[in-house]
Amino acid sequence: DTAVSQTPKYLVTQMGNDKSIKCEQNLGHDTMYWYKQDSKKFLKIMFSYNNKELIINETVPNRFSPKSPDKAHLNLHINSLELGDSAVYFCASSQLSGADSGNTIYFGEGSWLTVV
Amino acid sequence: SQQGEEDPQALSIQEGENATMNCSYKTSINNLQWYRQNSGRGLVHLILIRSNEREKHSGRLRVTLDTSKKSSSLLITASRAADTASYFCATSGSYIPTFGRGTSLIVHP
């Protein structure tokens, strides 16, 4: 069974549209993340969220918003899509146990977003 | 930023050779992790080394950490074509690991 699953895997949409990418984890983890990987493979944290705290990377435009209906889900909503939003978006999760214990991240398979 | 930077960006070797990748970072860390990403897939955790450790082994993987130089290396011994992938280091001073752009490794059969 897939630990972190995200849908859709591929998404092609026009500029200006609003779209969502769904993510679910069945690992019982407390924390979920969204990462963006650009064409040069640079992997950048967008959001970190658990039931207590949302941490937003300040460079992320407010057109992007995470929504978590429960601990196992963290969906990514994107409004007014722009060409530069084209990238691969990865959902991930971890069992937050404090910095000293290490924090292994479990990734989904990615969602390829192409804005035309 | 605590972001790790991998070096080289690309590495091409023959099967059976060893592959060494390096990671440098800027601020103090609690631990450093290495991940692997196959083409078209998500990242998979390989190994974690804590700030009080200098070397760690896992199968054909050997990781070193030099906190005085703020650098780590990942050595893959006796490489195989199946090792072809991108390798990322992730540094963690708080609880959010941050990544760089990875080293793209190609192992020719």
Side-chain angles (χ1 to χ4, degrees), chain A residues 1-89:
Chain A
D1 287 341
T2 304
V4 181
S5 59
Q6 52 185 109
T7 57
K9 187 170 179 70
Y10 300 102
L11 180 57
V12 180
T13 187
Q14 290 187 326
M15 272 180 15
N17 284 351
D18 302 337
K19 290 294 178 185
S20 296
I21 305 173
K22 295 184 177 180
C23 179
E24 175 182 3
Q25 55 96 3
N26 62 5
L27 296 167
H29 286 166
D30 290 328
T31 303
M32 297 184 72
Y33 311 83
W34 277 103
Y35 284 87
K36 176 181 180 180
Q37 187 171 44
D38 62 24
S39 58
K40 295 183 179 180
K41 292 197 171 181
F42 185 65
L43 195 63
K44 182 178 174 181
I45 181 73
M46 299 178 69
F47 304 101
S48 166
Y49 183 79
N50 61 26
N51 57 4
K52 299 177 184 176
E53 189 176 22
L54 171 64
I55 298 177
I56 303 172
N57 184 328
E58 65 274 9
T59 66
V60 175
N62 57 15
R63 298 181 294 104
F64 291 78
S65 58
K67 293 195 183 348
S68 180
D70 55 56
K71 196 173 85 166
H73 296 84
L74 184 66
N75 303 323
L76 181 64
H77 295 268
I78 315 171
N79 295 326
S80 303
L81 278 156
E82 300 177 357
L83 293 177
D85 297 333
S86 295
V88 185
Y89 293 85

Side-chain angles (χ1 to χ4, degrees), chain B residues 16-93:
Chain B
E17 294 180 342
N18 295 342
T20 300
M21 291 157 265
N22 303 297
C23 171
S24 59
Y25 57 92
K26 295 179 181 177
T27 61
S28 297
I29 60 171
N30 293 312
N31 61 75
L32 186 144
Q33 303 177 49
W34 284 91
Y35 288 76
R36 167 190 169 130
Q37 182 182 31
N38 287 355
S39 179
R41 307 295 296 274
L43 279 72
V44 175
H45 180 257
L46 292 175
I47 193 167
L48 177 150
I49 186 166
R50 302 191 190 286
S51 59
N52 61 355
E53 298 176 310
R54 291 296 168 259
E55 188 171 312
K56 201 161 183 180
H57 296 256
S58 177
R60 293 184 296 112
L61 304 181
R62 174 180 168 242
V63 171
T64 62
L65 179 63
D66 187 335
T67 53
S68 66
K69 296 181 179 179
K70 292 187 169 58
S71 68
S72 172
S73 67
L74 171 67
L75 169 67
I76 304 175
T77 60
S79 64
R80 304 166 182 168
D83 294 329
T84 294
S86 292
Y87 293 83
F88 293 81
C89 68
T91 55
S92 180

